[in-house]
Amino acid sequence: MTIDPMLQQHVTGGFRRYWWLFLIRGLFGLALGVFALTYPGATLAAVVLLIGAYLIVDGIIAVAKAIQILRTDQHWWVLMIEGILGIVVGLAIFLWPGLTAVTLAFLVGYWAIISGVFTIAGAVRIRGHVGNEILYLFFGIVSVVFGVFVLYAPAAGLAYIVIATALYGFFMGFTMIALAFRARSLPA
C-alpha cells in the first residue's frame, strides 16, 4: 500500500500541531481516576456529577479538535460525533434527576462502547500516517471492554462504578498523554 506523501504530511502535521488536545484529554482522564480513588465513599450524586463533567469536557475537546481538522481530514465527522455523544450523555447525567447506579451504568457503558468503536476506526484509518498508532487502537479496545464490563453488571452498585471509572480514567489519561508526546515529536 502506497501512501500519498502530501496526505501523510498533512495528517502528521495536524497531529503535531494539536498534540496539546490529547494532553488535555489525558490530564482530565487522570483527574477523573484520582478523584474516583480519593473519594470512594462519595455519594452517587458526586460520582454522577464527576462522570457527567468529564464527559462534557472530553466531548467539548473532541468537538474542538473536529472543527480544527474540518478542512484537512475528510473523517472529521467521526470525532465530531464522538464529541457530541459525550456532551449529550454528560448533559443527560446532569439533567436527569434521581439517576440510579443502573441507569448511570447503562449511559456510561454505551458511551464507552460507541466512543471506543470510533477510536478503533480512527486508529485503523491513521495507521499508515502516524507511526505506533497502537496506543490509540489500544485505548479504543480498552474503552469497548470497559463499556461491556460496566453493562455486564450494571446492578453491582456505586463501588463497582467508582472503581471501573478510576481504572478507565487512569488508563485513558496515561494513553492520551503518551499519544500527545508522540504526536508532538512528529515532523512538522
Side-chain angles (χ1 to χ4, degrees):
M1 178 171 109
T2 59
I3 299 170
D4 180 9
M6 293 299 289
L7 179 62
Q8 183 170 1
Q9 181 181 6
H10 220 48
V11 171
T12 57
F15 267 90
R16 185 180 194 296
R17 191 171 326 122
Y18 301 115
W19 68 272
W20 54 274
L21 287 173
F22 291 110
L23 181 64
I24 291 172
R25 288 180 80 178
L27 292 174
F28 272 104
L30 288 179
L32 174 69
V34 167
F35 184 83
L37 284 182
T38 305
Y39 301 106
T43 63
L44 179 58
V47 172
V48 168
L49 293 177
L50 173 69
I51 292 171
Y54 169 76
L55 291 175
I56 291 170
V57 170
D58 188 61
I60 289 170
I61 292 169
V63 167
K65 173 71 174 156
I67 290 169
Q68 289 174 340
I69 64 170
L70 184 69
R71 292 190 180 121
T72 61
D73 187 345
Q74 67 182 6
H75 300 284
W76 61 270
W77 58 272
V78 174
L79 192 56
M80 180 69 77
I81 290 172
E82 182 182 351
I84 290 171
L85 178 65
I87 293 168
V88 167
V89 171
L91 288 174
I93 289 171
F94 272 108
L95 300 175
W96 199 334
L99 190 66
T100 66
V102 173
T103 304
L104 176 64
F106 281 120
L107 283 173
V108 171
Y110 285 121
W111 168 82
I113 291 170
I114 293 168
S115 179
V117 168
F118 283 149
T119 302
I120 291 167
V124 168
R125 190 177 57 78
I126 66 169
R127 84 174 167 262
H129 305 292
V130 178
N132 294 327
E133 74 289 342
I134 194 77
L135 286 174
Y136 204 49
L137 177 66
F138 194 57
F139 169 63
I141 292 168
V142 168
S143 186
V144 170
V145 170
F146 169 75
V148 170
F149 188 64
V150 169
L151 292 177
Y152 179 72
L158 180 59
Y160 171 76
I161 292 172
V162 170
I163 292 168
T165 300
L167 292 174
Y168 178 78
F170 282 124
F171 182 79
M172 193 280 293
F174 286 126
T175 303
M176 284 293 167
I177 289 170
L179 190 59
F181 286 110
R182 185 172 310 267
R184 186 174 182 214
S185 68
L186 290 171

